[in-house]
Amino acid sequence: MLMNNIERIGLGHNSKNITLESFLIIDPETNRSTGRIKLTNEIIDKYLIRKEIRDKNGDLKRFERTIACDSEVVGLRVIINKGGKISWFFEKYINGKQCRYQIGPYKDFSVVKARKIALELKSQIAFGKDYKTIRAETANAKTLSQVKDLWLENRILNSNISEKNKKCLQGRIRCWLMLNPSKSSFNVKTLKAQKFIADNYNQLNIKDKPLISLTKDDLLNWYRTVGKCSRSSANRALDDLRSIFSYAEEIGEVNKNIAHFKTKELFIIDPRMSYIEPYKKEEWKRIIKSALKLSKNKEKGNFYSCMSIMLLASCGRRKDEVNTLNFDQIKDGNSTIVYRSANVKNKTPIRVPLTSVAQGVIKRLRKAKHKNSNLLFPSTNGGRFFSKSSKVKPLGTFYKTWRTIVAMAKVEYKPPHMLRHTFACLLLEKFKDIKLVALIMGWKSLRAAEIYLKYLDQTVVDSIKEFNSFLKLS
């Protein structure tokens, strides 16, 4: 059994007498050192130091490099040079000639990763691949950043993906892959991301590494680090990275897409409805009344934001679907909204009959229609339809207005999207028919309605009570 000097002599790991040589593996048959060490990150961090060359007086004259050979993968070496930089290389004799392959700096390649790369090199050499060819292929290998640029150009920018989704995708990539979140935006989320990236840059930085050198451990480490800031962002960014690797596999940059994780390796995101309850009917009424009241207050209220919130609450559509509406989509005398496939999230065209509250909102918006815009909420374009001196505030005050309305209505603050869930639950409470609710809400399948099934419990009880009355003998 092979053992190192520490095990043979019985020194403790905290002993001051331990040096790098203490970890040399001893052959029990010859009782001589093999010249190799079972390398670990701890050994390299603590004991791999430069040799000090001193003169006769004991004064430091210069430093010399130190090399440690790994016992697990023959040919793998780690070196600390005269300047103190630590890096990996792989050494092997090919046709009687010593060939050295530079793997990379120690800070970018852990012991496990360096061993994996060394084994891959040995495998390629064993199959007769020329050493110069291996080095040339690695030198010419594209980085993640370069492959990302090709993927965006050839698969995304010229595709049928909506401009909004393209912008969101590019924003995610810029933030979590390129580590350069928008500097023009100073909202709370952006500032949080900037600080997080600055504090965790080394763990997040995979953009400049050759794609073929990245391992699944690298991607897992990156993914888990992003997840410390936001699990949902980590899942979305991983989807983008998986698509980039699929493209890289397609163009021959990698042999396998390693961005596919097992379910147990992924972050589980609970559906919003599992921990946030929709508003009750009485709360919904107070929200509508508060929004209407605030819309009449010229000093505090933003008319367009108030009308947007009222329309959200009374038609059950998504915020972006409401805020990008134009008057050409309003049909049948303000009683119907027509959405084309490009206007909705699930790409399914739908006609939405409007409640009396929603019809009232449309009438008010027609009276306030701006002559230069056909949009119901013209300031959704950042106020471009109005000059800086205009009295019309941009719809950017939407969330501020929503908080004001919530406070006025004396209800708990919840994301505005909960107005859509509230609308669906009110429909379910009234009609007790999940299929009808799915049809009104525009869901492609009943799977989307599964999150509402728990709200059927009470409606089922109420239905049985009504059925008992129906069956009651006179």
Side-chain angles (χ1 to χ4, degrees):
M1 178 181 176
L2 298 178
M3 61 176 64
N4 58 37
N5 279 328
I6 290 180
E7 295 168 329
R8 188 179 65 165
I9 299 173
L11 290 173
H13 272 272
N14 294 321
S15 172
K16 295 181 179 179
N17 298 322
I18 293 178
T19 64
L20 186 66
E21 287 73 19
S22 303
F23 296 93
L24 288 169
I25 302 295
I26 305 299
D27 188 337
E29 294 182 2
T30 61
N31 202 32
R32 292 182 179 181
S33 169
T34 61
R36 301 189 182 98
I37 296 172
K38 188 175 181 179
L39 293 171
T40 65
N41 292 330
E42 182 183 4
I43 290 174
I44 294 173
D45 291 335
K46 288 186 177 181
Y47 304 107
L48 184 65
I49 58 176
R50 296 170 290 177
K51 294 178 183 177
E52 297 180 349
I53 307 300
R54 299 183 178 273
D55 58 22
K56 295 179 180 179
N57 299 322
D59 296 327
L60 182 62
K61 189 176 180 180
R62 67 180 185 277
F63 288 105
E64 291 291 342
R65 67 183 185 177
T66 300
I67 298 176
C69 304
D70 187 39
S71 64
E72 302 302 291
V73 179
V74 177
L76 178 62
R77 316 272 195 265
V78 62
I79 180 174
I80 180 169
N81 64 19
K82 297 178 183 180
K85 292 184 178 180
I86 304 176
S87 59
W88 294 98
F89 66 92
F90 177 73
E91 200 169 63
K92 187 174 179 63
Y93 280 87
I94 301 176
N95 298 325
K97 183 179 178 181
Q98 187 182 35
C99 297
R100 177 178 288 190
Y101 176 86
Q102 298 296 335
I103 293 176
Y106 169 64
K107 66 178 182 179
D108 294 335
F109 297 86
S110 65
V111 173
V112 173
K113 184 176 176 183
R115 283 177 181 151
K116 183 175 181 179
I117 293 174
L119 288 171
E120 289 175 356
L121 285 169
K122 291 184 74 171
S123 175
Q124 292 181 58
I125 293 169
F127 279 103
K129 208 165 190 179
D130 180 63
Y131 177 73
K132 291 182 179 180
T133 303
I134 297 172
R135 291 200 62 176
E137 286 179 353
T138 307
N140 294 328
K142 291 182 174 59
T143 64
L144 175 60
S145 179
Q146 291 171 326
V147 175
K148 177 268 302 180
D149 291 337
L150 291 172
W151 173 70
L152 283 175
E153 180 181 352
N154 298 319
R155 290 290 184 271
I156 302 300
L157 298 182
N158 296 324
S159 68
N160 293 327
I161 299 174
S162 69
E163 291 302 317
K164 180 195 169 185
N165 287 341
K166 287 179 185 177
K167 186 176 179 180
C168 290
L169 184 149
Q170 288 177 295
R172 284 197 306 272
I173 290 175
R174 185 171 60 247
C175 181
W176 296 117
L177 287 180
M178 299 300 104
L179 309 182
N180 184 30
S182 176
K183 294 181 179 179
S184 60
S185 175
F186 294 98
N187 59 50
V188 174
K189 288 185 178 179
T190 302
L191 293 175
K192 179 184 175 183
Q194 288 175 347
K195 184 179 185 308
F196 182 82
I197 289 170
D199 293 341
N200 299 273
Y201 191 84
N202 289 338
Q203 294 95 319
L204 292 168
N205 185 21
I206 58 174
K207 59 186 172 66
D208 297 321
K209 296 179 181 178
L211 214 60
I212 60 172
S213 72
L214 289 172
T215 65
K216 187 173 179 180
D217 287 338
D218 293 326
L219 303 191
L220 273 171
N221 181 53
W222 165 83
Y223 170 73
R224 288 166 181 163
T225 305
V226 175
K228 292 178 183 178
C229 182
S230 168
R231 291 190 169 195
S232 57
S233 294
N235 284 347
R236 293 190 185 102
L238 179 61
D239 287 338
D240 300 331
L241 186 64
R242 191 180 295 121
S243 297
I244 293 172
F245 265 87
S246 292
Y247 177 74
E249 186 178 14
E250 184 182 329
I251 63 175
E253 280 296 320
V254 295
N255 297 323
K256 183 181 178 182
N257 186 344
I258 59 172
H260 288 290
F261 293 178
K262 297 178 181 177
T263 303
K264 64 181 181 181
E265 295 171 331
L266 296 171
F267 293 121
I268 305 300
I269 308 296
D270 294 326
R272 188 178 291 167
M273 289 281 284
S274 68
Y275 58 91
I276 301 180
E277 293 287 322
Y279 290 111
K280 305 296 183 183
K281 184 171 70 172
E282 290 304 316
E283 293 176 322
W284 178 87
K285 288 180 179 180
R286 295 208 300 271
I287 288 171
I288 294 293
K289 291 177 181 178
S290 298
L292 183 60
K293 182 178 179 180
L294 186 62
S295 70
K296 298 175 182 179
N297 188 333
K298 294 182 180 179
E299 293 182 2
K300 295 183 179 179
N302 181 324
F303 174 76
Y304 282 116
S305 292
C306 291
M307 292 297 101
S308 171
I309 289 166
M310 287 184 68
L311 195 54
L312 281 172
S314 58
C315 74
R317 304 311 303 169
R318 300 174 183 88
K319 181 168 72 73
D320 290 339
E321 294 172 3
V322 167
N323 289 344
T324 55
L325 278 170
N326 63 66
F327 283 100
D328 293 336
Q329 293 175 254
I330 310 300
K331 306 292 183 183
D332 304 331
N334 297 337
S335 64
T336 306
I337 298 176
V338 177
Y339 284 102
R340 301 181 185 88
S341 58
N343 302 133
V344 290
K345 183 179 179 180
N346 61 13
K347 304 303 178 187
T348 303
I350 184 175
R351 294 177 68 90
V352 180
L354 297 179
T355 61
S356 57
V357 175
Q359 291 182 42
V361 171
I362 300 297
K363 289 177 183 178
R364 289 170 65 86
L365 288 169
R366 282 197 183 278
K367 290 180 182 179
K369 184 178 181 298
H370 195 273
K371 61 181 180 180
N372 294 328
S373 172
N374 198 38
L375 294 170
L376 271 70
F377 306 101
S379 49
T380 49
N381 283 353
R384 283 186 295 172
F385 289 99
F386 306 101
S387 65
K388 292 182 180 179
S389 61
S390 172
K391 295 180 181 179
V392 179
K393 299 178 183 179
L395 205 58
T397 60
F398 177 90
Y399 286 98
K400 183 178 179 181
T401 303
W402 171 239
R403 290 188 182 91
T404 303
I405 291 171
V406 166
M408 290 174 63
K410 297 181 180 179
V411 297
E412 181 186 351
Y413 178 86
K414 297 172 184 178
H417 188 71
M418 290 306 295
L419 292 173
R420 173 171 167 82
H421 295 309
T422 298
F423 189 80
C425 288
L426 292 176
L427 287 171
L428 194 59
E429 182 181 340
K430 171 61 180 173
F431 298 109
K432 305 173 180 61
D433 185 344
I434 197 71
K435 290 185 178 180
L436 176 62
V437 174
L439 186 63
I440 294 173
M441 298 301 291
W443 297 323
K444 271 188 174 181
S445 69
L446 287 178
R447 286 191 63 188
E450 288 177 358
I451 58 174
Y452 298 99
L453 291 179
K454 65 178 182 179
Y455 297 103
L456 271 176
D457 294 343
Q458 185 58 43
T459 56
V460 168
V461 172
D462 294 340
S463 297
I464 294 299
K465 288 180 180 178
E466 291 183 18
F467 191 57
N468 286 335
S469 298
F470 173 75
L471 294 176
K472 189 174 181 181
L473 298 175
S474 56

